[in-house]
């Protein structure tokens, strides 16, 4: 079971809403075939995206600005 939360990633940015959007967008990219930036360890895309954010490998820059 994955034990990672959005709280683990608040060191980079204090805006929870923006971080939630970033994780959601990155999880969609991973589910669509984008290679993970951390070891996936058979986790679901949302957990991989959270781990990437906690490791500083991704951030709010992945949000689609429309």
């Amino acid at each position: 079971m994955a034990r990672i939360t959005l709280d683990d990633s608040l060191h980079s940015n204090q805006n929870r809403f923006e971080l939630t959007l970033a994780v959601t967008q990155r999880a969609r990219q991973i589910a669509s075939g984008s290679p993970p930036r951390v070891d996936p360890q058979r986790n679901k895309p949302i957990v991989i995206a959270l781990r990437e954010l906690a490791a500083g490998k991704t951030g709010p820059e992945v949000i689609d600005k429309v």
Side-chain angles (χ1 to χ4, degrees):
M1 174 182 255
R3 289 286 182 188
I4 188 159
T5 65
L6 197 58
D7 291 332
D8 298 331
S9 305
L10 284 176
H11 60 83
S12 62
N13 188 343
Q14 294 297 318
N15 188 340
R16 288 176 183 256
F17 180 71
E18 189 174 62
L19 289 177
T20 303
L21 288 175
V23 168
T24 304
Q25 181 66 32
R26 183 64 186 137
R28 287 181 183 147
Q29 291 172 355
I30 294 167
S32 297
S34 179
R37 297 176 182 154
V38 295
D39 185 22
Q41 301 175 354
R42 297 180 4 173
N43 288 318
K44 294 182 179 183
I46 191 73
V47 175
I48 297 168
L50 281 167
R51 290 186 189 278
E52 287 181 356
L53 189 66
K57 306 251 180 187
T58 192
E61 70 276 356
V62 299
I63 300 173
D64 287 337
K65 308 282 186 189
V66 180

